[in-house]
Amino acid sequence: MPIEKVLDYLEHESFQSLPTNVVAMAKKSLLDFIAASFAGYQNKKVSASALKSSKWLGGEATCTVLGRSTSVSPLAATFINATLSSCMDIDDGHRQAVGHPACTIIPPVLAMGEVTPNCSGKDLITAIVSGYEIGIRCGIVMNSNHNTLFYGSGGWAHFGSAAGVSKIKKMTRNLTAHAISIGEVYGPTAQCGKSIAAGSMTKESVGWGAVTGLMGVLLAETGFTGTRNILMDDHLYNKNAKRVFENLGEIYEIERIYFKEYPACKWAHSPIAAARLIKEEINPNLQEIDEIIVETFSKAITLDHISPQTSEAAQYSIPFTVATAFCYGNVEPYHVSEEHLNNEAVYDVAKKIRLKQVDDLEEIFPEKRPARLKVKMGNGKVFEREVHIVKGDAENPLNWDELVKKFEMCAKDYITSDRQLEIIDQIKNLENLPDLNSFISILRS
């Protein structure tokens, strides 16, 4: 990261300088983050554990946990909201960064916005955009060699967390430099490959990455220092940091994010979409299927849990989510909740699914996350569909109304329809809010 370029950008970026479509994307990202956070309550074990963290992430109880009436410390709110928004894997992402920005960047920005006097809707929008622009570019650099060195979202998005919080707090140039750079040493390695294999709650170290970004800001304010030589380890990466950051403030990476229809790893979305197409167009008799072959790229082959025992393992399972799509025509948050895991109908289809790496699809990853689905029937017929781009990708984006429907689906069990409408309306008109108090109050239970 060329730190002087970053500091120039953060010093001069303002709401007035943001293009209209960038403001619209920030609002979409905020609504989608809130949707993902409410979906997180479907994962009862993770949400319960995260909520208990408020006991040991102590401090003055000044910040909101989405969907709860009690207040917690800024660090606790950051950890809990980050964990909630990521634990069902239905949060936004960026293809070239190979991960998820919102779940790490928005929670600390929202927490600091709540405790910062006179923080306006415009301030929040600007901080979200600033955090995305820094964090995503760090992910693009750090995951440019992802076949050898693969960082989960918490390992790169914490830079965006620190940048966004610094923007909210209107920190000086020098303090901002230290706030961002502290995280390079303190940040998690986020070895998500291990989480995928184990089906564990650690996932991509999103919760701790978000806390790391906020802690960097708080430490910098006390005089704690970091290094200014960030991401200049060219021997580790296939992309030069200076070139990745040279268009900062001119081209906005937030415009290239994707929104997810399904609570599953993005690598599973093309197989799910292909299964839905076959289900809708042909509706094969599931009992008469001999075998389902999913051809895809090598990283997706790791998502091979046939009978997942945790919600996380289900989210990281192509067999389970594809089988769910065949059985129910869709994959929604409750389909990957603990209560749904022992579904015999889903298991009967999942055990017929085989994953296969193929070179022609490997060549277009990570620019696309492709899959080719072949359903072989007992009578010899074969039904095949190939998907490279799914609904929600930057090339085929979800519009505002579609994101509203996703939000309603995720929030329906936790807040009233009237409260949902309030949240939607306030985000739609976020730039007109003189402070965030009224908005944050309606995010409570």
Side-chain angles (χ1 to χ4, degrees):
M1 178 195 299
I3 190 64
E4 296 303 324
K5 176 77 172 179
V6 168
L7 296 175
D8 286 342
Y9 165 74
L10 291 174
E11 190 173 8
H12 295 104
E13 185 71 282
S14 66
F15 180 82
Q16 288 71 28
S17 66
L18 296 176
T20 302
N21 51 333
V22 170
V23 172
M25 284 301 294
K27 293 179 182 181
K28 283 184 172 183
S29 297
L30 180 58
L31 179 63
D32 191 72
F33 159 76
I34 296 169
S37 298
F38 281 111
Y41 285 109
Q42 293 276 5
N43 195 327
K44 293 180 173 57
K45 290 183 178 179
V46 173
S47 57
S49 295
L51 288 165
K52 290 177 182 177
S53 72
S54 63
K55 296 179 181 178
W56 43 267
L57 283 172
E60 189 177 356
T62 53
C63 291
T64 295
V65 173
L66 274 68
R68 287 288 184 266
S69 58
T70 55
S71 296
V72 299
S73 73
L75 289 175
T78 293
F79 180 81
I80 296 168
N81 289 331
T83 302
L84 284 173
S85 64
S86 64
C87 71
M88 291 303 278
D89 226 315
I90 199 168
D91 47 315
D92 73 6
H94 189 280
R95 203 176 290 152
Q96 284 71 42
V98 199
H100 311 279
C103 53
T104 304
I105 294 168
I106 294 181
V109 167
L110 206 57
M112 279 298 100
E114 186 171 6
V115 299
T116 300
N118 303 315
C119 182
S120 68
K122 290 179 180 179
D123 293 332
L124 179 61
I125 290 170
T126 308
I128 289 172
V129 173
S130 299
Y132 270 55
E133 296 311 306
I134 304 305
I136 289 172
R137 282 174 170 80
C138 289
I140 291 172
V141 174
M142 294 173 70
N143 277 330
S144 60
N145 190 22
H146 61 84
N147 286 325
T148 303
L149 192 63
F150 182 28
Y151 293 90
S153 305
W156 53 263
H158 65 80
F159 290 110
S161 303
V165 173
S166 298
K167 195 68 177 172
I168 285 282
K169 294 175 73 66
K170 298 179 171 59
M171 293 173 67
T172 66
R173 187 182 181 97
N174 184 55
L175 287 182
T176 299
H178 290 300
I180 295 173
S181 64
I182 286 169
E184 184 169 41
V185 178
Y186 275 14
T189 55
Q191 299 180 47
C192 57
K194 293 183 178 181
S195 298
I196 292 172
S200 72
M201 297 179 185
T202 51
K203 298 190 83 171
E204 299 190 33
S205 194
V206 164
W208 206 246
V211 170
T212 299
L214 177 55
M215 276 296 293
V217 173
L218 301 178
L219 285 169
E221 288 186 314
T222 70
F224 203 88
T225 61
T227 174
R228 299 172 75 92
N229 187 25
I230 308 171
L231 299 192
M232 301 306 288
D233 308 295
D234 288 344
H235 64 287
L236 296 177
Y237 313 124
N238 289 335
K239 289 192 176 180
N240 180 275
K242 289 183 179 179
R243 285 197 289 272
V244 171
F245 279 85
E246 66 184 1
N247 62 7
L248 183 61
E250 300 170 7
I251 293 175
Y252 286 85
E253 291 295 336
I254 195 172
E255 294 190 272
R256 300 177 180 178
I257 63 172
Y258 60 76
F259 297 108
K260 299 171 80 171
E261 282 197 299
Y262 315 119
C265 175
K266 186 64 174 174
W267 302 343
H269 280 225
S270 288
I272 293 170
R276 290 187 70 192
L277 285 173
I278 293 174
K279 172 79 172 178
E280 293 166 6
E281 296 170 5
I282 300 165
N283 195 23
N285 186 315
L286 302 184
Q287 283 72 41
E288 295 177 3
I289 293 175
D290 273 354
E291 184 180 32
I292 300 171
I293 298 175
V294 179
E295 296 181 350
T296 185
F297 50 94
S298 59
K299 285 196 178 296
I301 300 300
T302 63
L303 309 183
D304 60 352
H305 301 284
I306 297 293
S307 181
Q309 299 303 303
T310 66
S311 176
E312 291 76 26
Q315 297 159 37
Y316 285 126
S317 169
I318 288 176
F320 185 85
T321 52
V322 165
T324 298
F326 273 117
C327 290
Y328 296 99
N330 201 3
V331 183
E332 297 186 8
Y334 74 89
H335 286 133
V336 295
S337 66
E338 297 280 349
E339 292 85 350
H340 197 259
L341 297 184
N342 296 318
N343 187 309
E344 286 298 325
V346 172
Y347 176 69
D348 286 344
V349 177
K351 65 186 180 182
K352 299 178 181 180
I353 296 175
R354 182 167 63 89
L355 308 186
K356 180 181 179 182
Q357 185 269 344
V358 292
D359 291 342
D360 64 318
L361 300 184
E362 186 74 49
E363 292 172 358
I364 54 179
F365 174 80
E367 291 301 317
K368 296 177 182 177
R369 280 85 183 272
R372 186 181 299 121
L373 201 69
K374 298 178 179 178
V375 179
K376 297 184 177 182
M377 306 299 293
N379 60 8
K381 289 185 178 180
V382 178
F383 305 117
E384 180 177 329
R385 293 293 182 275
E386 184 170 331
V387 175
H388 291 194
I389 298 296
V390 300
K391 187 65 177 176
D393 281 343
E395 300 91 336
N396 187 22
L398 292 176
N399 60 35
W400 177 259
D401 290 339
E402 290 167 330
L403 279 170
V404 165
K405 288 181 180 178
K406 174 183 173 179
F407 167 70
E408 291 170 346
M409 175 191 70
C410 293
K412 62 184 178 184
D413 294 330
Y414 306 103
I415 51 174
T416 65
S417 56
D418 287 344
R419 184 67 63 87
Q420 292 172 34
L421 291 174
E422 282 187 83
I423 292 171
I424 294 164
D425 183 66
Q426 290 217 22
I427 294 176
K428 199 170 185 178
N429 297 287
L430 191 59
E431 66 270 36
N432 299 321
L433 293 182
D435 66 71
L436 297 181
N437 291 333
S438 62
F439 170 63
I440 291 176
S441 69
I442 61 175
L443 301 180
R444 294 172 177 262
S445 63

